[in-house]
Amino acid sequence: MQQIISEPKSRYLLMVEDTASVAALYRSYLTPLGIDINIVGNGRDAIHSLAHRTPDLILLDLRLPDMTGMDVLDAVREVNPNVPVIFMTAHGSIDIAVDAMQHGAQDFLIKPCEADRLRVTVNNAIRKASKRRDELNETGSPSYQGFIGSSQTMQAVYRTIDSAATSKASIFITGESGTGKEVCAEAIHAASRRGDKPFIAINCAAIPKDLIESELFGHVKGAFTGAATDRQGAAELADGGTLFLDELCEMDLELQTKLLRFIQTGTFQKVGSSRMKKVDVRFVSATNRDPWKEVEQGRFREDLYYRLYVIPLHLPPLRERGEDVIEIAYSLLGFMSHEEGKSFVRFSPDVIDRFIQYEWPGNVRQLQNVLRNVVVLNQGKEILLDMLPPPLNIPVEAKVVTIEPVANMAFRPQDIVPLHQSERAIIEQAIEACDGNIPIAAGYLSVSPSTLYRKIQAWNASEKNT
């Protein structure tokens, strides 16, 4: 039996179950977790209870006497979109439960549920929700140091940040435009021992060539036309903290020489001054190019490359982050709906599938712009496919998975395979071709993702019983 570590008594679970005997049984299963449990028998009471206390987790029966579990889920999402919801359902309603997950439910349990399975699922869900609350960013969206997403590719990024943040070693972030390189730099700073000191960012591509030295090192009064007063530069402002050099490969070669000297000695001169000033900064750099190719083509100093490219950190594009796009989209939707005074709370299944399949050449920045466009120009609670701007509002033609035809003369009765076996082979081949991403495979097969989930569930149950 798996060991369960009890949560503090302050944790609160709302169980929505209309069968009193089942509710009492499940309460007894959860007693070892040491959490407060409130049981209600219908959807109306569940919704009303949210006004008195926000639960850490909701266990929600899919079939209730006064409304559906989906109705309750929609109401919960309007009040508090960050409360995790786990559906409880009978075998015949798995299809609906999977659809509910696409609308924001975290998981579902098949009734009757064994004690160990219930305890582990609830315990893990509450722990995960607690961790996400501890990592709320300024917009109220659950995140890791400002990031949203739990894909394997992003977990590798988080581990690198955790490992490298406490060091003074320079970090070089690479990634396409819109992947969140400045967010990553801020995460490194926040996780470091310098987190309470300044974080100063300078975009080397956005500042004119003749002004960037002044922006970086500052200037004294009269150093050039328009220099009416002394001015601190980014290097001085970042003293004790982190200096983020964004799009570094855009920097002029002459200024790269001065930057190298600054990195080597920690000293610099303001423009127009002969005095040296010393500071203590941690360098984090970023580019959307391949820095070594820039070195090979003579646009980036090799010695500067070796000084700054100590710990490389690559941010994956959004198209390689799987279903992170949906987590990010829901976080942005909640924020933008509130900001624009709209009532959007969910995406239609078609939109979810489209978001997962789309390539997102502009990455997270493009996703932000798409959602802002939709929220501003439309009304309602659900984002529909036809609300999206082009090309996202154009349905993707599903790729047809076919079996190679067999010549009549070579095909014999004993070669015939039962239809259910052929179907399973095609589905498994499609999922494998899509790197295990079931929603994308479903799109190519022209079926709902819930259909594939249901079939997989049936196969697993059949194999377990044999």
Side-chain angles (χ1 to χ4, degrees), residues 71-118:
D71 294 331
V72 178
L73 176 63
D74 289 342
V76 171
R77 287 286 166 265
E78 289 184 16
V79 176
N80 193 331
N82 295 323
V83 172
V85 176
I86 294 177
F87 272 102
M88 299 182 293
T89 179
H91 279 280
S93 301
I94 293 176
D95 195 14
I96 302 174
V98 174
D99 287 339
M101 290 178 65
Q102 294 184 331
H103 284 79
Q106 181 172 314
D107 202 352
F108 67 90
L109 291 166
I110 305 298
K111 296 197 298 184
C113 184
E114 297 178 354
D116 281 358
R117 173 67 193 279
L118 180 63

mmCIF file of all heavy atoms in Angstrom, residues 71-118:
data_model
loop_
_atom_site.group_PDB
_atom_site.id
_atom_site.type_symbol
_atom_site.label_atom_id
_atom_site.label_comp_id
_atom_site.label_asym_id
_atom_site.label_seq_id
_atom_site.Cartn_x
_atom_site.Cartn_y
_atom_site.Cartn_z
ATOM 1 N N ASP A 71 -22.469 21.785 -15.424
ATOM 2 C CA ASP A 71 -23.019 23.080 -15.008
ATOM 3 C C ASP A 71 -22.296 23.604 -13.772
ATOM 4 O O ASP A 71 -21.998 24.799 -13.662
ATOM 5 C CB ASP A 71 -24.515 22.951 -14.709
ATOM 6 C CG ASP A 71 -25.331 22.631 -15.951
ATOM 7 O OD1 ASP A 71 -24.902 23.036 -17.048
ATOM 8 O OD2 ASP A 71 -26.383 21.964 -15.827
ATOM 9 N N VAL A 72 -22.044 22.693 -12.825
ATOM 10 C CA VAL A 72 -21.324 23.095 -11.610
ATOM 11 C C VAL A 72 -19.906 23.532 -11.962
ATOM 12 O O VAL A 72 -19.400 24.533 -11.445
ATOM 13 C CB VAL A 72 -21.299 21.940 -10.586
ATOM 14 C CG1 VAL A 72 -20.508 22.348 -9.341
ATOM 15 C CG2 VAL A 72 -22.712 21.532 -10.208
ATOM 16 N N LEU A 73 -19.247 22.790 -12.856
ATOM 17 C CA LEU A 73 -17.884 23.144 -13.271
ATOM 18 C C LEU A 73 -17.856 24.548 -13.868
ATOM 19 O O LEU A 73 -16.966 25.348 -13.554
ATOM 20 C CB LEU A 73 -17.371 22.126 -14.285
ATOM 21 C CG LEU A 73 -15.991 22.409 -14.890
ATOM 22 C CD1 LEU A 73 -14.913 22.386 -13.816
ATOM 23 C CD2 LEU A 73 -15.653 21.406 -15.988
ATOM 24 N N ASP A 74 -18.819 24.873 -14.723
ATOM 25 C CA ASP A 74 -18.871 26.207 -15.322
ATOM 26 C C ASP A 74 -19.024 27.279 -14.249
ATOM 27 O O ASP A 74 -18.379 28.335 -14.308
ATOM 28 C CB ASP A 74 -20.043 26.302 -16.308
ATOM 29 C CG ASP A 74 -19.791 25.489 -17.574
ATOM 30 O OD1 ASP A 74 -18.621 25.147 -17.826
ATOM 31 O OD2 ASP A 74 -20.765 25.190 -18.291
ATOM 32 N N ALA A 75 -19.867 27.011 -13.252
ATOM 33 C CA ALA A 75 -20.074 27.978 -12.170
ATOM 34 C C ALA A 75 -18.811 28.160 -11.345
ATOM 35 O O ALA A 75 -18.463 29.284 -10.936
ATOM 36 C CB ALA A 75 -21.230 27.522 -11.273
ATOM 37 N N VAL A 76 -18.112 27.059 -11.081
ATOM 38 C CA VAL A 76 -16.849 27.131 -10.328
ATOM 39 C C VAL A 76 -15.832 27.949 -11.098
ATOM 40 O O VAL A 76 -15.135 28.797 -10.518
ATOM 41 C CB VAL A 76 -16.303 25.717 -10.050
ATOM 42 C CG1 VAL A 76 -14.891 25.787 -9.475
ATOM 43 C CG2 VAL A 76 -17.215 24.965 -9.096
ATOM 44 N N ARG A 77 -15.737 27.718 -12.404
ATOM 45 C CA ARG A 77 -14.762 28.438 -13.215
ATOM 46 C C ARG A 77 -15.038 29.943 -13.229
ATOM 47 O O ARG A 77 -14.112 30.752 -13.327
ATOM 48 C CB ARG A 77 -14.780 27.900 -14.648
ATOM 49 C CG ARG A 77 -14.140 26.524 -14.769
ATOM 50 C CD ARG A 77 -12.616 26.622 -14.656
ATOM 51 N NE ARG A 77 -11.987 25.324 -14.446
ATOM 52 C CZ ARG A 77 -11.663 24.835 -13.265
ATOM 53 N NH1 ARG A 77 -11.889 25.532 -12.169
ATOM 54 N NH2 ARG A 77 -11.080 23.661 -13.150
ATOM 55 N N GLU A 78 -16.306 30.331 -13.131
ATOM 56 C CA GLU A 78 -16.635 31.758 -13.104
ATOM 57 C C GLU A 78 -16.196 32.398 -11.788
ATOM 58 O O GLU A 78 -15.728 33.541 -11.758
ATOM 59 C CB GLU A 78 -18.135 31.956 -13.297
ATOM 60 C CG GLU A 78 -18.619 31.654 -14.712
ATOM 61 C CD GLU A 78 -20.095 31.970 -14.877
ATOM 62 O OE1 GLU A 78 -20.649 32.680 -14.014
ATOM 63 O OE2 GLU A 78 -20.695 31.506 -15.854
ATOM 64 N N VAL A 79 -16.332 31.669 -10.687
ATOM 65 C CA VAL A 79 -15.995 32.217 -9.364
ATOM 66 C C VAL A 79 -14.503 32.139 -9.103
ATOM 67 O O VAL A 79 -13.881 33.107 -8.659
ATOM 68 C CB VAL A 79 -16.769 31.466 -8.258
ATOM 69 C CG1 VAL A 79 -16.356 31.962 -6.877
ATOM 70 C CG2 VAL A 79 -18.267 31.644 -8.467
ATOM 71 N N ASN A 80 -13.918 30.958 -9.341
ATOM 72 C CA ASN A 80 -12.494 30.760 -9.079
ATOM 73 C C ASN A 80 -11.934 29.752 -10.081
ATOM 74 O O ASN A 80 -12.016 28.546 -9.862
ATOM 75 C CB ASN A 80 -12.273 30.266 -7.645
ATOM 76 C CG ASN A 80 -10.811 30.341 -7.237
ATOM 77 O OD1 ASN A 80 -9.920 30.239 -8.070
ATOM 78 N ND2 ASN A 80 -10.562 30.537 -5.955
ATOM 79 N N PRO A 81 -11.335 30.241 -11.181
ATOM 80 C CA PRO A 81 -10.858 29.323 -12.230
ATOM 81 C C PRO A 81 -9.673 28.465 -11.813
ATOM 82 O O PRO A 81 -9.323 27.518 -12.514
ATOM 83 C CB PRO A 81 -10.461 30.275 -13.366
ATOM 84 C CG PRO A 81 -10.196 31.587 -12.705
ATOM 85 C CD PRO A 81 -11.135 31.658 -11.540
ATOM 86 N N ASN A 82 -9.052 28.778 -10.662
ATOM 87 C CA ASN A 82 -7.865 28.030 -10.252
ATOM 88 C C ASN A 82 -8.164 26.873 -9.303
ATOM 89 O O ASN A 82 -7.250 26.131 -8.929
ATOM 90 C CB ASN A 82 -6.850 28.973 -9.594
ATOM 91 C CG ASN A 82 -6.301 29.993 -10.571
ATOM 92 O OD1 ASN A 82 -6.091 29.689 -11.737
ATOM 93 N ND2 ASN A 82 -6.088 31.210 -10.100
ATOM 94 N N VAL A 83 -9.418 26.704 -8.883
ATOM 95 C CA VAL A 83 -9.753 25.589 -8.001
ATOM 96 C C VAL A 83 -9.772 24.296 -8.812
ATOM 97 O O VAL A 83 -10.505 24.189 -9.798
ATOM 98 C CB VAL A 83 -11.123 25.798 -7.327
ATOM 99 C CG1 VAL A 83 -11.549 24.544 -6.574
ATOM 100 C CG2 VAL A 83 -11.073 26.972 -6.368
ATOM 101 N N PRO A 84 -8.974 23.287 -8.438
ATOM 102 C CA PRO A 84 -8.977 22.033 -9.194
ATOM 103 C C PRO A 84 -10.253 21.237 -8.954
ATOM 104 O O PRO A 84 -10.771 21.195 -7.834
ATOM 105 C CB PRO A 84 -7.748 21.293 -8.657
ATOM 106 C CG PRO A 84 -7.526 21.848 -7.292
ATOM 107 C CD PRO A 84 -7.992 23.281 -7.337
ATOM 108 N N VAL A 85 -10.753 20.612 -10.008
ATOM 109 C CA VAL A 85 -11.981 19.810 -9.942
ATOM 110 C C VAL A 85 -11.690 18.414 -10.482
ATOM 111 O O VAL A 85 -11.111 18.265 -11.556
ATOM 112 C CB VAL A 85 -13.117 20.456 -10.762
ATOM 113 C CG1 VAL A 85 -14.346 19.560 -10.764
ATOM 114 C CG2 VAL A 85 -13.460 21.835 -10.214
ATOM 115 N N ILE A 86 -12.081 17.400 -9.714
ATOM 116 C CA ILE A 86 -11.967 16.008 -10.151
ATOM 117 C C ILE A 86 -13.369 15.424 -10.247
ATOM 118 O O ILE A 86 -14.131 15.471 -9.274
ATOM 119 C CB ILE A 86 -11.107 15.175 -9.183
ATOM 120 C CG1 ILE A 86 -9.659 15.673 -9.198
ATOM 121 C CG2 ILE A 86 -11.159 13.693 -9.550
ATOM 122 C CD1 ILE A 86 -8.753 14.947 -8.223
ATOM 123 N N PHE A 87 -13.725 14.907 -11.415
ATOM 124 C CA PHE A 87 -15.045 14.315 -11.600
ATOM 125 C C PHE A 87 -15.058 12.868 -11.114
ATOM 126 O O PHE A 87 -14.059 12.148 -11.238
ATOM 127 C CB PHE A 87 -15.450 14.355 -13.074
ATOM 128 C CG PHE A 87 -16.139 15.626 -13.472
ATOM 129 C CD1 PHE A 87 -15.471 16.622 -14.169
ATOM 130 C CD2 PHE A 87 -17.466 15.830 -13.139
ATOM 131 C CE1 PHE A 87 -16.107 17.782 -14.530
ATOM 132 C CE2 PHE A 87 -18.111 16.992 -13.492
ATOM 133 C CZ PHE A 87 -17.434 17.971 -14.178
ATOM 134 N N MET A 88 -16.189 12.464 -10.575
ATOM 135 C CA MET A 88 -16.446 11.062 -10.240
ATOM 136 C C MET A 88 -17.571 10.591 -11.147
ATOM 137 O O MET A 88 -18.623 11.229 -11.222
ATOM 138 C CB MET A 88 -16.851 10.922 -8.767
ATOM 139 C CG MET A 88 -15.790 11.397 -7.792
ATOM 140 S SD MET A 88 -16.269 11.171 -6.058
ATOM 141 C CE MET A 88 -17.638 12.336 -5.914
ATOM 142 N N THR A 89 -17.354 9.475 -11.839
ATOM 143 C CA THR A 89 -18.333 9.052 -12.830
ATOM 144 C C THR A 89 -18.378 7.536 -12.950
ATOM 145 O O THR A 89 -17.415 6.848 -12.624
ATOM 146 C CB THR A 89 -17.983 9.666 -14.211
ATOM 147 O OG1 THR A 89 -18.920 9.238 -15.170
ATOM 148 C CG2 THR A 89 -16.601 9.233 -14.655
ATOM 149 N N ALA A 90 -19.494 7.025 -13.407
ATOM 150 C CA ALA A 90 -19.626 5.604 -13.686
ATOM 151 C C ALA A 90 -18.995 5.288 -15.037
ATOM 152 O O ALA A 90 -18.684 6.183 -15.822
ATOM 153 C CB ALA A 90 -21.105 5.206 -13.683
ATOM 154 N N HIS A 91 -18.802 4.004 -15.316
ATOM 155 C CA HIS A 91 -18.119 3.597 -16.548
ATOM 156 C C HIS A 91 -18.776 4.168 -17.796
ATOM 157 O O HIS A 91 -18.107 4.567 -18.741
ATOM 158 C CB HIS A 91 -18.087 2.066 -16.640
ATOM 159 C CG HIS A 91 -16.994 1.450 -15.834
ATOM 160 N ND1 HIS A 91 -15.698 1.386 -16.269
ATOM 161 C CD2 HIS A 91 -17.003 0.880 -14.599
ATOM 162 C CE1 HIS A 91 -14.942 0.800 -15.364
ATOM 163 N NE2 HIS A 91 -15.712 0.470 -14.330
ATOM 164 N N GLY A 92 -20.118 4.192 -17.815
ATOM 165 C CA GLY A 92 -20.816 4.625 -19.018
ATOM 166 C C GLY A 92 -20.667 6.089 -19.338
ATOM 167 O O GLY A 92 -21.067 6.524 -20.411
ATOM 168 N N SER A 93 -20.096 6.890 -18.426
ATOM 169 C CA SER A 93 -19.991 8.339 -18.641
ATOM 170 C C SER A 93 -18.554 8.798 -18.842
ATOM 171 O O SER A 93 -18.258 9.983 -18.726
ATOM 172 C CB SER A 93 -20.591 9.085 -17.444
ATOM 173 O OG SER A 93 -21.935 8.729 -17.256
ATOM 174 N N ILE A 94 -17.644 7.865 -19.152
ATOM 175 C CA ILE A 94 -16.242 8.242 -19.330
ATOM 176 C C ILE A 94 -16.093 9.266 -20.449
ATOM 177 O O ILE A 94 -15.318 10.210 -20.360
ATOM 178 C CB ILE A 94 -15.386 6.993 -19.622
ATOM 179 C CG1 ILE A 94 -15.359 6.084 -18.392
ATOM 180 C CG2 ILE A 94 -13.962 7.385 -20.001
ATOM 181 C CD1 ILE A 94 -14.617 4.779 -18.606
ATOM 182 N N ASP A 95 -16.871 9.092 -21.509
ATOM 183 C CA ASP A 95 -16.809 10.010 -22.643
ATOM 184 C C ASP A 95 -17.075 11.440 -22.193
ATOM 185 O O ASP A 95 -16.367 12.372 -22.563
ATOM 186 C CB ASP A 95 -17.838 9.569 -23.690
ATOM 187 C CG ASP A 95 -17.604 10.225 -25.033
ATOM 188 O OD1 ASP A 95 -16.522 10.798 -25.213
ATOM 189 O OD2 ASP A 95 -18.493 10.155 -25.891
ATOM 190 N N ILE A 96 -18.116 11.615 -21.369
ATOM 191 C CA ILE A 96 -18.473 12.948 -20.882
ATOM 192 C C ILE A 96 -17.384 13.470 -19.955
ATOM 193 O O ILE A 96 -17.028 14.665 -19.976
ATOM 194 C CB ILE A 96 -19.826 12.911 -20.149
ATOM 195 C CG1 ILE A 96 -20.918 12.380 -21.083
ATOM 196 C CG2 ILE A 96 -20.199 14.298 -19.626
ATOM 197 C CD1 ILE A 96 -22.257 12.172 -20.407
ATOM 198 N N ALA A 97 -16.820 12.597 -19.121
ATOM 199 C CA ALA A 97 -15.792 13.020 -18.175
ATOM 200 C C ALA A 97 -14.551 13.538 -18.893
ATOM 201 O O ALA A 97 -13.955 14.538 -18.479
ATOM 202 C CB ALA A 97 -15.421 11.867 -17.244
ATOM 203 N N VAL A 98 -14.183 12.872 -19.984
ATOM 204 C CA VAL A 98 -13.023 13.327 -20.739
ATOM 205 C C VAL A 98 -13.298 14.686 -21.371
ATOM 206 O O VAL A 98 -12.442 15.578 -21.387
ATOM 207 C CB VAL A 98 -12.633 12.285 -21.813
ATOM 208 C CG1 VAL A 98 -11.521 12.824 -22.701
ATOM 209 C CG2 VAL A 98 -12.183 10.992 -21.152
ATOM 210 N N ASP A 99 -14.517 14.872 -21.882
ATOM 211 C CA ASP A 99 -14.892 16.189 -22.411
ATOM 212 C C ASP A 99 -14.822 17.247 -21.321
ATOM 213 O O ASP A 99 -14.415 18.389 -21.559
ATOM 214 C CB ASP A 99 -16.306 16.142 -23.003
ATOM 215 C CG ASP A 99 -16.346 15.391 -24.332
ATOM 216 O OD1 ASP A 99 -15.284 15.275 -24.964
ATOM 217 O OD2 ASP A 99 -17.422 14.924 -24.718
ATOM 218 N N ALA A 100 -15.210 16.865 -20.098
ATOM 219 C CA ALA A 100 -15.148 17.804 -18.977
ATOM 220 C C ALA A 100 -13.713 18.224 -18.699
ATOM 221 O O ALA A 100 -13.453 19.386 -18.354
ATOM 222 C CB ALA A 100 -15.763 17.167 -17.732
ATOM 223 N N MET A 101 -12.775 17.310 -18.849
ATOM 224 C CA MET A 101 -11.371 17.664 -18.656
ATOM 225 C C MET A 101 -10.931 18.712 -19.669
ATOM 226 O O MET A 101 -10.133 19.599 -19.357
ATOM 227 C CB MET A 101 -10.486 16.421 -18.763
ATOM 228 C CG MET A 101 -10.648 15.456 -17.602
ATOM 229 S SD MET A 101 -9.627 13.983 -17.780
ATOM 230 C CE MET A 101 -7.987 14.704 -17.687
ATOM 231 N N GLN A 102 -11.466 18.629 -20.882
ATOM 232 C CA GLN A 102 -11.131 19.634 -21.884
ATOM 233 C C GLN A 102 -11.723 20.995 -21.534
ATOM 234 O O GLN A 102 -11.274 22.015 -22.042
ATOM 235 C CB GLN A 102 -11.633 19.181 -23.258
ATOM 236 C CG GLN A 102 -10.916 17.940 -23.784
ATOM 237 C CD GLN A 102 -11.372 17.566 -25.178
ATOM 238 O OE1 GLN A 102 -12.514 17.831 -25.557
ATOM 239 N NE2 GLN A 102 -10.493 16.954 -25.936
ATOM 240 N N HIS A 103 -12.730 20.999 -20.662
ATOM 241 C CA HIS A 103 -13.332 22.257 -20.231
ATOM 242 C C HIS A 103 -12.757 22.743 -18.908
ATOM 243 O O HIS A 103 -13.264 23.705 -18.336
ATOM 244 C CB HIS A 103 -14.855 22.108 -20.109
ATOM 245 C CG HIS A 103 -15.564 22.095 -21.429
ATOM 246 N ND1 HIS A 103 -15.604 20.969 -22.222
ATOM 247 C CD2 HIS A 103 -16.223 23.067 -22.101
ATOM 248 C CE1 HIS A 103 -16.284 21.252 -23.326
ATOM 249 N NE2 HIS A 103 -16.666 22.504 -23.280
ATOM 250 N N GLY A 104 -11.738 22.081 -18.409
ATOM 251 C CA GLY A 104 -11.069 22.612 -17.221
ATOM 252 C C GLY A 104 -10.978 21.697 -16.033
ATOM 253 O O GLY A 104 -10.341 22.053 -15.037
ATOM 254 N N ALA A 105 -11.624 20.514 -16.069
ATOM 255 C CA ALA A 105 -11.476 19.581 -14.950
ATOM 256 C C ALA A 105 -10.064 19.006 -14.958
ATOM 257 O O ALA A 105 -9.444 18.848 -16.005
ATOM 258 C CB ALA A 105 -12.501 18.454 -15.055
ATOM 259 N N GLN A 106 -9.545 18.711 -13.774
ATOM 260 C CA GLN A 106 -8.177 18.230 -13.673
ATOM 261 C C GLN A 106 -8.061 16.735 -13.941
ATOM 262 O O GLN A 106 -7.098 16.265 -14.520
ATOM 263 C CB GLN A 106 -7.619 18.544 -12.277
ATOM 264 C CG GLN A 106 -6.175 18.093 -12.074
ATOM 265 C CD GLN A 106 -5.601 18.597 -10.774
ATOM 266 O OE1 GLN A 106 -5.742 19.752 -10.437
ATOM 267 N NE2 GLN A 106 -4.954 17.722 -10.026
ATOM 268 N N ASP A 107 -9.052 15.953 -13.516
ATOM 269 C CA ASP A 107 -8.971 14.499 -13.647
ATOM 270 C C ASP A 107 -10.360 13.922 -13.447
ATOM 271 O O ASP A 107 -11.313 14.647 -13.139
ATOM 272 C CB ASP A 107 -8.007 13.938 -12.593
ATOM 273 C CG ASP A 107 -7.464 12.564 -12.971
ATOM 274 O OD1 ASP A 107 -7.951 11.985 -13.962
ATOM 275 O OD2 ASP A 107 -6.565 12.075 -12.274
ATOM 276 N N PHE A 108 -10.495 12.608 -13.622
ATOM 277 C CA PHE A 108 -11.751 11.960 -13.279
ATOM 278 C C PHE A 108 -11.469 10.578 -12.703
ATOM 279 O O PHE A 108 -10.450 9.951 -12.994
ATOM 280 C CB PHE A 108 -12.705 11.873 -14.484
ATOM 281 C CG PHE A 108 -12.250 10.960 -15.587
ATOM 282 C CD1 PHE A 108 -12.603 9.621 -15.603
ATOM 283 C CD2 PHE A 108 -11.481 11.458 -16.631
ATOM 284 C CE1 PHE A 108 -12.194 8.791 -16.626
ATOM 285 C CE2 PHE A 108 -11.066 10.635 -17.667
ATOM 286 C CZ PHE A 108 -11.426 9.290 -17.661
ATOM 287 N N LEU A 109 -12.366 10.126 -11.828
ATOM 288 C CA LEU A 109 -12.276 8.829 -11.176
ATOM 289 C C LEU A 109 -13.483 7.992 -11.579
ATOM 290 O O LEU A 109 -14.602 8.511 -11.681
ATOM 291 C CB LEU A 109 -12.255 8.995 -9.651
ATOM 292 C CG LEU A 109 -10.999 9.639 -9.047
ATOM 293 C CD1 LEU A 109 -11.269 10.051 -7.610
ATOM 294 C CD2 LEU A 109 -9.826 8.673 -9.112
ATOM 295 N N ILE A 110 -13.246 6.711 -11.789
ATOM 296 C CA ILE A 110 -14.331 5.795 -12.139
ATOM 297 C C ILE A 110 -14.924 5.199 -10.858
ATOM 298 O O ILE A 110 -14.199 4.665 -10.027
ATOM 299 C CB ILE A 110 -13.822 4.664 -13.043
ATOM 300 C CG1 ILE A 110 -13.134 5.256 -14.286
ATOM 301 C CG2 ILE A 110 -14.965 3.754 -13.452
ATOM 302 C CD1 ILE A 110 -14.026 6.086 -15.150
ATOM 303 N N LYS A 111 -16.240 5.336 -10.691
ATOM 304 C CA LYS A 111 -16.914 4.737 -9.534
ATOM 305 C C LYS A 111 -17.358 3.309 -9.864
ATOM 306 O O LYS A 111 -17.774 3.052 -11.011
ATOM 307 C CB LYS A 111 -18.135 5.583 -9.141
ATOM 308 C CG LYS A 111 -17.791 6.978 -8.666
ATOM 309 C CD LYS A 111 -18.931 7.645 -7.915
ATOM 310 C CE LYS A 111 -20.158 7.832 -8.762
ATOM 311 N NZ LYS A 111 -21.220 8.571 -8.058
ATOM 312 N N PRO A 112 -17.314 2.393 -8.894
ATOM 313 C CA PRO A 112 -16.827 2.607 -7.523
ATOM 314 C C PRO A 112 -15.308 2.736 -7.485
ATOM 315 O O PRO A 112 -14.604 2.068 -8.241
ATOM 316 C CB PRO A 112 -17.293 1.351 -6.787
ATOM 317 C CG PRO A 112 -17.362 0.295 -7.857
ATOM 318 C CD PRO A 112 -17.791 1.007 -9.100
ATOM 319 N N CYS A 113 -14.827 3.597 -6.591
ATOM 320 C CA CYS A 113 -13.402 3.909 -6.524
ATOM 321 C C CYS A 113 -12.777 3.233 -5.306
ATOM 322 O O CYS A 113 -13.324 3.306 -4.197
ATOM 323 C CB CYS A 113 -13.219 5.420 -6.444
ATOM 324 S SG CYS A 113 -11.509 5.936 -6.481
ATOM 325 N N GLU A 114 -11.644 2.584 -5.506
ATOM 326 C CA GLU A 114 -10.944 1.946 -4.401
ATOM 327 C C GLU A 114 -10.330 2.995 -3.482
ATOM 328 O O GLU A 114 -9.992 4.105 -3.911
ATOM 329 C CB GLU A 114 -9.850 1.020 -4.938
ATOM 330 C CG GLU A 114 -10.373 -0.144 -5.767
ATOM 331 C CD GLU A 114 -9.255 -1.006 -6.316
ATOM 332 O OE1 GLU A 114 -8.071 -0.622 -6.150
ATOM 333 O OE2 GLU A 114 -9.563 -2.054 -6.906
ATOM 334 N N ALA A 115 -10.152 2.606 -2.216
ATOM 335 C CA ALA A 115 -9.668 3.550 -1.200
ATOM 336 C C ALA A 115 -8.309 4.130 -1.550
ATOM 337 O O ALA A 115 -8.091 5.345 -1.495
ATOM 338 C CB ALA A 115 -9.626 2.867 0.166
ATOM 339 N N ASP A 116 -7.362 3.250 -1.913
ATOM 340 C CA ASP A 116 -6.013 3.721 -2.212
ATOM 341 C C ASP A 116 -6.005 4.688 -3.390
ATOM 342 O O ASP A 116 -5.336 5.723 -3.365
ATOM 343 C CB ASP A 116 -5.085 2.537 -2.507
ATOM 344 C CG ASP A 116 -4.623 1.842 -1.234
ATOM 345 O OD1 ASP A 116 -4.991 2.317 -0.145
ATOM 346 O OD2 ASP A 116 -3.907 0.824 -1.337
ATOM 347 N N ARG A 117 -6.757 4.334 -4.445
ATOM 348 C CA ARG A 117 -6.793 5.190 -5.636
ATOM 349 C C ARG A 117 -7.376 6.559 -5.297
ATOM 350 O O ARG A 117 -6.866 7.595 -5.741
ATOM 351 C CB ARG A 117 -7.625 4.511 -6.725
ATOM 352 C CG ARG A 117 -7.866 5.389 -7.956
ATOM 353 C CD ARG A 117 -6.588 5.646 -8.719
ATOM 354 N NE ARG A 117 -6.743 6.700 -9.695
ATOM 355 C CZ ARG A 117 -7.282 6.551 -10.905
ATOM 356 N NH1 ARG A 117 -7.727 5.353 -11.273
ATOM 357 N NH2 ARG A 117 -7.360 7.562 -11.734
ATOM 358 N N LEU A 118 -8.435 6.583 -4.500
ATOM 359 C CA LEU A 118 -9.055 7.854 -4.136
ATOM 360 C C LEU A 118 -8.095 8.699 -3.314
ATOM 361 O O LEU A 118 -7.930 9.894 -3.566
ATOM 362 C CB LEU A 118 -10.350 7.599 -3.359
ATOM 363 C CG LEU A 118 -11.108 8.856 -2.908
ATOM 364 C CD1 LEU A 118 -11.578 9.661 -4.111
ATOM 365 C CD2 LEU A 118 -12.299 8.473 -2.032
#
